Amino acid sequence: MLSRLAVLLLLLLPRLASAQAPGPRWHSALDSLQALERLPQSDSSRVQLLCRISDQLWASDTEAAAAYSRRALALARRTHNRAGEGAALNRLGAALRESNLARALELFQESWRLGRELRDTTLQAQNLRSIGIIYVYLRDRQLGLSYYFEGLRLDSLLGDERRIAVDLSNIGLAYDLYDELDSAAYYQQRAYQLAQRLHASTNYILYGLGNVARKQGRFAEARDYYRRSVAESKRRRHLRSLNFSYLGLAALYQQQHQPDSSIHYARLGAQAARQNGFLRGVLNASVLLTQDFAQRGQLDSAFRYQKLLVTMKDTLFGQEKVMRLQNVDYLERQRAQEAVAAQQAIHNRYQTYGLLAGLAVLGLLLALRLRHGRRMQRTNAALQASLADLKQAQLMLVQREKMAFLGEMTAGVAHELQNPLSFVKRFAEVSTELVDEINGAQQLARDGNLERDILDGLKQNLLNISQHGQRATAIIKGMLEHARTGQAPRALTDLNELAREQLELAYAGMQQQFPGFAAEVRTELEPALPAVSVVAQDLGRVLLNLCTNALYAVRQRQQRAEVGYKPTVTIGSHRLPDGRLRLWVRDNGPGIASEVLPRIFEPFFTTKPVGEGTGLGLSLSHDIVVNGHGGRLEVTSQPGEGTEFRLTLPAS
């Protein structure tokens, strides 16, 4: 069957020969293992060595991997090496998974049963992961994920962090297959962080992160992830993950309506899969190539790849194979049910013995129960009294918490107002002294220069009094905004237009406040964004505050005179897959320190110098978004690189 399939591939893929050939299949690790095989050693060590060689070959040549795993299995059975037999069964199942799913499932289940008999947790976890892959192939979400999570649980008990990273990535790829992108991103990020810490391979993880970014419309990030996965796969001579990465790029370019690039990478992916014997990879490449050629109007090429697609589907998921796979699953479930029935029979027998023994002590138990009942009544009364005391204590704690919060807010207002009012008081006293001085100078002798200096100083003091009075007014206004009740009427609003207006207003205000200031302001607004019912005035104030803060940040970094620095502020929007709308404001300023970030939305907390901020802008913005619109306001920042605020509104 496989030889006929190889001939068919050569006939149907004549143009694949021009695709880029991967690097040498044999690498130093494999050469070392094969050299070690020629040395004398014990049978158990040889079984382990053959399994390791099969592992090395699996990513580049599945037929060779199957041959080595069969040799390991034969030797393990001949020498009654049960642990080695379980390991060899798992490797053989992995090698046959692409050509015979039913046989692969039988091998995995047999290996798993051996692991349970031997109490080999590592072997059990490995087979749970392998069985889960098959059910994910067959789109059985519940069963596939249940095997994955059970494998993760066992690997966690073992503390095997490298296998935990693989488990997390597999779970992320499964959620990606079911288009549950938030879950996919969560597990892939956990896998990536763990693999980075362990300096382990990340080629599959990068592919999974690329898929999430592509489906969420973050095309530049997706392209970067895929290319990094391609580079690592080539470096590791891993043809299977190379196929995934190339097909990820092909899907990305197809999504961007660039069929030429999509065809190029789909062919590279098909070439890698064909050399590895990875039939599912050829199937996935054929799907993309059929769609691309149909889009370009090249119906003969589209038809050729469609024929290959049908052949691959029949090879992998033909009716006979599906029926056999279902039979394997049925037999395994029946075996499990029989085991449960046997355990139940033993349980029933012991239950009968227990019942007979229980009758003997029933009288004693009744007596104890009566005494226990009286004791419980007394305990219950004591608990009721304790519960009443606890409720009273809770009420007192709530009242104390309210008073503590009120005291904190009052102290904050007093502290913030103290600075400008102290300045007002001091400048007023100085002004009084200047007036007394000019009166005294006039009584002694008129001196024009002295009078002018005194009047200039008096004018400057009055300006300072006005400035700090305005700061006190701003603090009081901010507190009134926090304390106001009621809600302005909502109206359907074009968020793109609102964002563009607030960015222009913020930029104009910064240029007026700091003459000569210039920065690049960009918009990345998703077209045809639906109108949403919001309080436009309140939401506009939020965006204006975020844009003003971003422009202030890039101006701070600009003043450091860094070579090649170009201050840039970007505002953007897009619709999330679940229907929510997101706006973001991003700058390339100095960023926010990690120890400061958790307090960024607290009232009166500000990173600006004294006199330049009240610390109420972000707090009020957070209140408008979260309490006024039921949304979310989040911030991420990298010191030295910039800050991004994300405003997410619920779906209409």
Side-chain angles (χ1 to χ4, degrees), residues 20-23 229-238 241-242 246 268:
Q20 179 182 350
S229 179
V230 166
E232 184 172 339
S233 299
K234 286 182 177 179
R235 189 170 63 253
R236 296 180 180 275
R237 306 292 188 263
H238 203 302
S241 66
L242 187 61
Y246 277 144
L268 290 177

Side-chain angles (χ1 to χ4, degrees), residues 14-308:
R15 299 179 66 182
L16 285 177
S18 62
Q20 179 182 350
R25 185 173 57 190
W26 311 107
H27 46 77
S28 58
L30 181 59
D31 291 339
S32 300
L33 292 173
Q34 290 179 324
L36 188 60
E37 183 193 358
R38 293 189 286 272
L39 299 177
Q41 54 195 288
S42 66
D43 290 334
S44 61
S45 297
R46 187 170 296 278
V47 169
Q48 293 178 4
L49 178 60
L50 293 171
C51 288
R52 290 175 62 191
I53 295 175
S54 178
D55 286 338
Q56 290 289 327
L57 287 166
W58 177 80
S60 58
D61 189 339
T62 52
E63 290 188 11
Y68 274 95
S69 59
R70 286 191 177 97
R71 288 177 56 191
L73 181 60
L75 179 58
R77 285 176 171 170
R78 188 168 64 250
T79 57
H80 307 291
N81 181 354
R82 301 280 284 168
E85 181 182 354
L89 285 168
N90 179 268
R91 270 63 170 194
L92 183 56
L96 297 181
R97 189 166 55 209
E98 300 306 323
S99 58
N100 193 330
L101 279 176
R103 178 57 180 156
L105 181 58
E106 289 177 345
L107 293 167
F108 291 144
Q109 289 173 338
E110 186 178 354
S111 178
W112 179 50
R113 286 194 296 273
L114 269 175
R116 295 182 64 185
E117 291 175 15
L118 299 172
R119 300 183 184 276
D120 187 337
T121 306
T122 300
L123 184 59
Q124 291 180 57
Q126 188 170 2
N127 283 287
L128 288 168
R129 182 165 52 248
S130 301
I131 295 171
I133 290 174
I134 288 183
Y135 284 110
V136 169
Y137 279 5
L138 299 175
R139 299 297 195 274
D140 191 330
R141 179 187 183 282
Q142 182 176 358
L143 202 54
L145 285 174
S146 67
Y147 278 107
Y148 277 164
F149 278 110
E150 180 62 16
L152 174 62
R153 185 185 70 82
L154 294 183
D155 284 330
S156 300
L157 290 176
L158 292 168
D160 192 335
E161 292 188 313
R162 288 183 178 272
R163 292 189 180 274
I164 290 172
V166 175
D167 292 329
L168 292 171
S169 180
N170 282 343
I171 293 171
L173 288 173
Y175 278 121
D176 170 40
L177 189 65
Y178 308 130
D179 289 327
E180 298 180 36
L181 300 183
D182 288 342
S183 297
Y186 169 74
Y187 284 102
Q188 293 293 7
Q189 287 290 352
R190 284 183 60 190
Y192 184 71
Q193 292 169 4
L194 182 55
Q196 286 284 90
R197 181 167 61 82
L198 299 173
H199 302 290
S201 61
T202 58
N203 42 339
Y204 276 117
I205 302 173
L206 290 169
Y207 162 75
L209 291 170
N211 274 2
V212 173
R214 173 175 61 81
K215 291 181 179 181
Q216 289 181 340
R218 296 180 282 117
F219 297 140
E221 286 183 47
R223 188 180 301 108
D224 178 64
Y225 283 130
Y226 287 142
R227 287 177 176 169
R228 288 167 59 192
S229 179
V230 166
E232 184 172 339
S233 299
K234 286 182 177 179
R235 189 170 63 253
R236 296 180 180 275
R237 306 292 188 263
H238 203 302
L239 295 176
R240 189 168 296 226
S241 66
L242 187 61
N243 162 264
F244 280 109
S245 306
Y246 277 144
L247 295 189
L249 283 168
L252 173 65
Y253 284 114
Q254 185 184 84
Q255 194 169 340
Q256 292 181 299
H257 307 292
Q258 300 180 37
D260 290 340
S261 297
S262 179
I263 289 170
H264 170 71
Y265 285 108
R267 282 175 167 168
L268 290 177
Q271 176 74 356
R274 189 164 66 92
Q275 290 188 352
N276 178 231
F278 182 29
L279 303 187
R280 190 165 58 91
V282 178
L283 169 65
N284 294 335
S286 302
V287 172
L288 290 169
L289 288 167
T290 300
Q291 295 170 349
D292 288 333
F293 280 115
Q295 182 180 351
R296 286 174 47 170
Q298 296 177 242
L299 300 182
D300 54 341
S301 297
F303 179 68
R304 184 168 67 252
Y305 284 108
Q306 189 175 30
K307 287 176 61 179
L308 177 60

Side-chain angles (χ1 to χ4, degrees), residues 406-451:
L406 181 59
E408 182 181 349
M409 290 292 290
T410 304
V413 174
H415 176 73
E416 291 299 321
L417 287 176
Q418 184 176 1
N419 288 333
L421 292 178
S422 296
F423 279 111
V424 169
K425 180 180 178 182
R426 188 173 67 189
F427 285 122
E429 291 173 353
V430 172
S431 299
T432 302
E433 292 174 0
L434 289 174
V435 171
D436 292 340
E437 186 174 342
I438 194 172
N439 286 333
Q442 287 176 346
Q443 290 174 1
L444 295 175
R446 298 190 61 87
D447 186 339
N449 293 330
L450 177 61
E451 289 181 7

